[in-house]
Amino acid sequence: MEGEIKQYATGSILPLGDGSTGKTVLTRLLLNPFMESIEHGDILFNTRKSYNIEIEFSSEVVDVDGEEITTSLQFYVFPGQRQKASADTTTFDEIIAIFDCFPAMEKINVILFLHDASRFHTLTSLEMWLRFSIVKDWICENTLIILVTNKIDLIQPKEEDTKQVCSNMYKLIKEHEFPIEEDQVRAINTSCVTLEGVKELREEIISWIARKGMKLKGIR
Ligand SMILES: Nc1nc2c(ncn2[C@@H]2O[C@H](COP(=O)(O)OP(=O)(O)OP(=O)(O)O)[C@@H](O)[C@H]2O)c(=O)[nH]1
Ligand SMILES: [Mg+2]
């Protein structure tokens, strides 16, 4: 039987940011935008601090210029904690050292730089997270960078702060001669409580990976 050629695109997504900024919760919400409120509540109230890598996948058919692309998202979520809290807890640096050599971690399609709108220092520490991504050489011409201001249900972020950070990030990336355009650094405000911005963020990620992710062909 003759099969039909199917188009696939796959890409990695890396949420980065300090502990408790919402990386794990937001990832779970991005995976399933149609969840029941009971599951939403369970994710919000029962998510614990991460001490290991969390790998999550989802797949969806996306129309790109009239062509159906089966788009797979691969989320690699690490703990935000960089200082050791006690002898038996693990840090971001310890876990990344193990998973660094994953092929999917070589170049990242979407990096989410998350901060918590109610804790200003989590915004200023994004420069450190960006410098880390630069050292790791995760950014390439197919990388979309999104500054995610999370927890906007707690406090409304100042637009000028977000704009300033986006512009500083782009400047730093260009100083290191990464081949990315200014519109590859974007900003989205989210709340994992009200779900504001979550769908918009999901659409940005899926649409980017459908177009710029690794392309494969297969037979249906
Ligand atoms: N009010 C509010 N709380 C949130 C929001 N997003 C996440 N939280 C809460 O913030 C806490 C931390 O969320 P996590 O997703 O565990 O944060 P994380 O960035 O993965 O933290 P680490 O695993 O320590 O790196 C949890 O209690 C969440 O329920 C949000 O948009 N608004
Ligand atoms: Mg976590």
Side-chain angles (χ1 to χ4, degrees):
M1 194 176 73
E2 207 174 306
E4 188 189 330
I5 299 289
K6 208 172 161 188
Q7 311 281 346
Y8 295 88
T10 177
S12 48
I13 302 128
L14 180 62
L16 291 176
D18 289 354
S20 247
T21 48
K23 299 177 295 296
T24 300
V25 167
L26 183 61
T27 297
R28 292 188 181 158
L29 299 181
L30 289 169
L31 285 167
N32 180 5
F34 308 109
M35 70 179 54
E36 303 282 329
S37 64
I38 190 155
E39 194 185 343
H40 178 204
D42 184 53
I43 289 174
L44 269 178
F45 296 114
N46 295 327
T47 297
R48 300 278 163 260
K49 200 169 180 53
S50 313
Y51 291 108
N52 210 336
I53 190 171
E54 290 148 7
I55 304 179
E56 310 268 11
F57 296 85
S58 76
S59 185
E60 170 169 334
V61 177
V62 179
D63 185 305
V64 177
D65 306 326
E67 196 169 38
E68 284 193 345
I69 314 271
T70 303
T71 306
S72 303
L73 311 183
Q74 308 171 17
F75 288 87
Y76 296 87
V77 191
F78 289 87
Q81 183 87 31
R82 298 204 67 187
Q83 307 297 327
K84 222 163 170 57
S86 67
D88 53 357
T89 60
T90 43
T91 63
F92 171 81
D93 298 80
E94 287 169 330
I95 304 298
I96 201 93
I98 299 167
F99 291 96
D100 217 10
C101 57
F102 260 39
M105 293 289 299
E106 266 176 28
K107 297 285 177 204
I108 310 289
N109 291 100
V110 182
I111 307 182
L112 305 176
F113 287 99
L114 252 91
H115 73 103
D116 171 343
S118 68
R119 291 181 297 144
F120 189 71
H121 67 89
T122 64
L123 175 63
T124 51
S125 71
L126 289 183
E127 185 180 325
M128 177 277 290
W129 288 107
L130 175 60
R131 285 187 186 278
F132 193 89
S133 311
I134 290 171
V135 169
K136 289 285 175 195
D137 205 21
W138 282 330
I139 300 168
C140 67
E141 73 271 21
N142 290 331
T143 305
L144 175 66
I145 289 173
I146 308 181
L147 169 67
V148 180
T149 303
N150 191 35
K151 305 201 189 182
I152 57 166
D153 53 291
L154 298 178
I155 188 166
Q156 263 310 308
K158 290 197 189 106
E159 208 182 312
E160 59 270 25
D161 288 345
T162 315
K163 274 197 179 142
Q164 187 63 52
V165 174
C166 270
S167 146
N168 293 349
M169 283 176 130
Y170 184 64
K171 243 195 263 168
L172 193 58
I173 290 166
K174 285 321 264 185
E175 275 168 26
H176 288 79
E177 297 179 355
F178 286 103
I180 75 164
E181 304 297 326
E182 203 160 359
D183 74 343
Q184 280 172 250
V185 182
R186 303 178 189 171
I188 293 184
N189 296 339
T190 57
S191 164
C192 295
V193 174
T194 65
L195 298 180
E196 192 179 337
V198 175
K199 224 169 130 205
E200 184 195 346
L201 177 58
R202 188 172 193 276
E203 277 160 16
E204 290 262 347
I205 294 171
I206 291 186
S207 153
W208 183 263
I209 290 182
R211 287 169 175 78
K212 304 282 185 178
M214 190 169 68
K215 299 280 165 51
L216 302 159
K217 278 187 185 170
I219 300 199
R220 199 191 292 269

